[in-house]
Amino acid sequence: MAAGEGAPTAGSDRPLRGPATVAPVYEVQPIQALPLTRFEPLVGEAHAARLRAAAERAASALGNRSVWNVNSTASGGGVAEMLQPLVAYARGAGVDARWVVIEGDPEFFRITKRLHNGFHGQAGDGGPLGHAEHAHYEQVLTHNAEALGAVVRAGDVMLLHDPQTAGLVPAMVRAGTLAFWRDHIGADVANELTERSWAFLHPYLTEAAGFVFSRPAYVPDWLRGDPRVHIIAPSIDPFSTKNADMAPSTVRAVLAHAGIIQATGDLDVPAFVRRDGSPSRVDHVADILRAGPAPLPGTPLVVQVSRWDRLKDMYGVMEGFAEHVLAGTDAQLALVGPNVTGVADDPEGAEVLDECVARWRTLPDAARARIQLVALPMADVEENAAIVNAVQRHAAVVVQKSLAEGFGLTVAEAMWKSRPVVASAVGGIQDQIVHGEHGLLVHDPTDLEELGAHLRRLLTDLAFAEQLGRQARERTVELFLGSRHLIEYAELFSTLIET
Ligand code: UDP
C-alpha cells in the first residue's frame, strides 16, 4: 500500500461506520488495558502516589465519558508511538480511552504535510494553501467527522492530534464533546511559513475546549495568554516492545537476523515480548543497501533511526559521517527508517529515501563499505519496534540530526537506553538534553563539522560517552516517562470537568 493512500494501516482493522469507499474512521485495536502500578518500581513513591491520585480523580471526574484520541496513522512516527501506551494505561485506570485513525486521500496528506512542514518553518513541497486546499481538507474531514459523529457522545473528551485533525474541531464541538487540539510540532522562531500554516488552521480551532502544546515556544501569538492553552511534553513508555529491557545476546540475535550485523558464533533466538505479554520472534528481514559484508558485532555503529522525512536530514548525517568521521575512526553508520510503504500519512518518504540512495551510490567505495541504509519491515509494528529497540541498544552513538523537531521520541528512547546521543539543538530536543550532561548538541543543525567532532569525541572518549548515557537515563526517568504525561492529562481533564 503506497504511503499516503489513506488505506488502513497496520493495527487499524475495524471500521466504526460506513462502507470502505466513504472514508470511514478506524478504531485502533485491540488496546489492552495496562496497569499503572508498572511504573511504581521506576519512579519512586512520591511520583507513584501522585499518579494513583491523579488516576482516581480522573476516573471519577470522567465517569462514563469516553476519551477519544484522533490522529492520521496507526503506525509510524511519534504520535502513533505514544498513543498506544497512553490509551492502554488510561484504560488500566478505568477510563474508557479510545484511539481512532482518520482517513484521507493522497492530496489530503500532501496538504497536511505542507502544513506540517510550515509549522516547522519549512517550505516542504512549496505548494499552495489556498481556497482549493481548504475545500479539499474540509471535504475529507467532513467524511471523517460524519463517521466520528456516529460514535462519540456529548460530554466525551476528544484529543485531536496535529494539523491532520484540526479541521474536526467545529464538528466535534457541535456534537457536544470537549474537543482539545493537541499540537506536537512547531518552530523555535516563527516565520512567514509558520504564519501561513497557522492562518490555514486558525479558523477551525477557535471553538476548541482547550489546546495542548508540547512546549511554550509552539503557542501562536493569537493564543498567548489564553487560559485554554496547556503545555504537556511528550513521553515514552519504558515497558513497550520498543523500550523494554533486551539482553545483549538477544540484541545481537535480532540484529543478525534482520541483517544489520553479521551473524557470528552461536546466536540466541531473536525473541521479543509483545504488548499483550505473548512471546514472539523477529521473522522479517530488513531491506539493506550496503557494499560488502554487514558490520561485525564489535564494530562501533553510529545510528540514526527516523522516518524518511527531509527534516530528519538522514542525508546530512551521511554527508557528515563520510566527511568528518570515516577517516578518524573505525565506526560504521546505519541510517535506519521504516520501509517507505509503511507510513500512511507521510507522502515524502519514498522521495527522501531515493535521494539518500542516489547520494550513497556516488560515495567512494571506502565510504559505501561503512555506511548502510536500512529500511525496516513494517508488516508487524511490534516486530519493527523490537528491531528498533535492538538497533538503539547496540548503537555506540545515537544521532538525531533533525533540522526541526517537535520533540525527539527517538532521542528519549536512546536516552532511556543509556546511549550517548548527538542531536541538533532544535525544538523539543533542547528541553530533553542539556549539552554536555545528557548528550551533545549540535548548535547549528547544518554544521557537519560540529556533528563530526561530537561523534568522534563520543567514539573515542568512552568514559565520557558512558557518563552521558547514564545521566541521560536518569533525566528520562525524571521527566519523560508516560507516568508524568498521564498525570498531566488526568489533572487537566479533571480540572476542566470539575469546574
Ligand atoms: N520509528 C519506528 N520505526 C522506524 C523509524 C522510526 O518505530 O523504522 C519510531 C521511532 O522509534 C520513534 C518514532 O518512530 O518512536 C519517531 O518519533 P519522533 O518523535 O522521533 O519523530 P516523528 O516521526 O514523530 O517526527
Side-chain angles (χ1 to χ4, degrees), residues 482-494:
S483 48
R484 186 267 313 147
H485 203 161
L486 287 159
I487 290 172
E488 290 180 319
Y489 271 136
E491 290 176 349
L492 169 60
F493 297 153
S494 304

Side-chain angles (χ1 to χ4, degrees), residues 181-306:
W181 188 55
R182 201 326 175 194
D183 173 78
H184 298 268
I185 54 177
D188 296 333
V189 183
N191 64 17
E192 69 279 10
L193 293 162
T194 55
E195 293 312 307
R196 187 175 82 135
S197 284
W198 273 124
F200 189 95
L201 288 193
H202 188 159
Y204 305 114
L205 294 172
T206 49
E207 298 166 75
F211 299 88
V212 181
F213 291 89
S214 294
R215 54 196 313 254
Y218 299 163
V219 181
D221 284 344
W222 61 271
L223 273 174
R224 291 212 185 266
D226 190 314
R228 293 176 299 168
V229 170
H230 307 273
I231 307 295
I232 300 182
S235 63
I236 60 163
D237 178 25
F239 309 106
S240 66
T241 309
K242 170 89 44 85
N243 296 313
D245 281 346
M246 196 183 258
S249 57
T250 311
V251 168
R252 272 199 307 283
V254 168
L255 296 181
H257 181 89
I260 296 168
I261 63 170
Q262 270 184 53
T264 55
D266 283 344
L267 286 173
D268 272 7
V269 172
F272 68 94
V273 179
R274 292 188 178 274
R275 267 184 228 116
D276 64 5
S278 61
S280 195
R281 59 172 66 189
V282 171
D283 184 24
H284 296 87
V285 298
D287 269 341
I288 301 180
L289 181 66
R290 81 158 82 79
L296 288 163
T299 303
L301 199 60
V302 173
V303 168
Q304 175 161 304
V305 177
S306 52

Side-chain angles (χ1 to χ4, degrees), residues 297-365:
T299 303
L301 199 60
V302 173
V303 168
Q304 175 161 304
V305 177
S306 52
R307 289 179 297 106
W308 303 98
D309 176 315
R310 240 173 234 108
L311 297 179
K312 307 291 181 184
D313 203 17
M314 293 284 223
Y315 193 104
V317 180
M318 180 159 58
E319 294 281 301
F321 186 86
E323 276 174 43
H324 300 289
V325 183
L326 211 58
T329 71
D330 59 354
Q332 299 208 15
L333 173 68
L335 297 175
V336 181
N339 184 307
V340 288
T341 56
V343 182
D345 67 346
D346 191 357
E348 225 175 62
E351 214 175 280
V352 172
L353 178 56
D354 285 350
E355 285 163 16
C356 290
V357 169
R359 174 63 182 126
W360 181 90
R361 292 195 193 287
T362 65
L363 290 172
D365 289 353

Side-chain angles (χ1 to χ4, degrees), residues 233-235 407 431-432 474-481 484-485:
S235 63
F407 179 94
D431 305 332
Q432 296 176 260
E474 285 163 14
R475 183 166 176 87
T476 308
V477 170
E478 192 190 331
L479 296 176
F480 299 120
L481 298 187
R484 186 267 313 147
H485 203 161

Side-chain angles (χ1 to χ4, degrees), residues 31-40 48-65 67 84-98 482-483 485-487 489-491 493-494:
I31 298 191
Q32 236 189 347
L34 286 173
L36 292 173
T37 45
R38 270 181 149 190
F39 287 98
E40 288 181 4
R50 198 175 152 211
L51 179 61
R52 280 194 298 274
E56 273 167 33
R57 182 178 164 210
S60 131
L62 285 161
N64 59 8
R65 299 165 193 252
V67 176
Q84 177 76 43
L86 289 177
V87 169
Y89 289 119
R91 294 178 76 83
V95 171
D96 181 31
R98 311 285 189 97
S483 48
H485 203 161
L486 287 159
I487 290 172
Y489 271 136
E491 290 176 349
F493 297 153
S494 304

